[in-house]
Amino acid sequence: MGDAGYQGIRRHHGHSVTPHKATKKAPLTPEQRQQNRELASTRLRVEHVIRCLKIFRVLKDIYRHRRRRFSLRVNLIAAVCNRTVASVA
């Protein structure tokens, strides 16, 4: 999933989804506008979760600890973020 800045991504990743763009000659149809809104609402949720993960310095900065434990720490932080997101919803 990407926003309008990822226009050429479809050439590299066939399953990517980007919003429809309007031009002066061809404005968006109501169906395309609805699809853009649905994509934006989904992307908003994903970006909020990424923000929740990036609050923790372990994921925000360069990881300088044991590599073996990185996946454990990421899983623990993801569990904390999932718990906070589930309690809000």
Side-chain angles (χ1 to χ4, degrees), residues 13-48:
H13 302 284
H15 297 291
S16 62
V17 179
T18 55
H20 300 284
K21 291 187 71 178
T23 60
K24 289 182 181 181
K25 293 182 180 180
L28 292 178
T29 64
E31 295 85 22
Q32 289 174 333
R33 290 180 72 94
Q34 183 64 30
Q35 289 174 353
N36 283 353
R37 285 179 191 256
E38 291 170 2
L39 178 64
S41 68
T42 305
R43 283 188 61 246
L44 182 70
R45 290 186 207 121
V46 170
E47 288 182 10
H48 281 300

Side-chain angles (χ1 to χ4, degrees), residues 3-4 13-14 25 27 35 38 46 51 58 68 77 79 83 86:
D3 58 5
H13 302 284
K25 293 182 180 180
Q35 289 174 353
E38 291 170 2
V46 170
R51 180 206 160 267
V58 173
R68 281 192 344 237
I77 292 170
R83 192 172 183 115

Side-chain angles (χ1 to χ4, degrees), residues 7 10 20 23 33 36 38 41 61 67 70 74 81 88-89:
Q7 293 176 16
R10 193 163 291 238
H20 300 284
T23 60
R33 290 180 72 94
N36 283 353
E38 291 170 2
S41 68
D61 293 338
R67 276 188 240 151
F70 181 70
V74 169
C81 290
V88 172

Side-chain angles (χ1 to χ4, degrees), residues 62-75:
I62 296 172
Y63 187 73
R64 299 178 187 269
H65 304 288
R66 294 182 187 168
R67 276 188 240 151
R68 281 192 344 237
R69 302 224 175 143
F70 181 70
S71 62
L72 172 69
R73 291 183 174 130
V74 169
N75 286 337

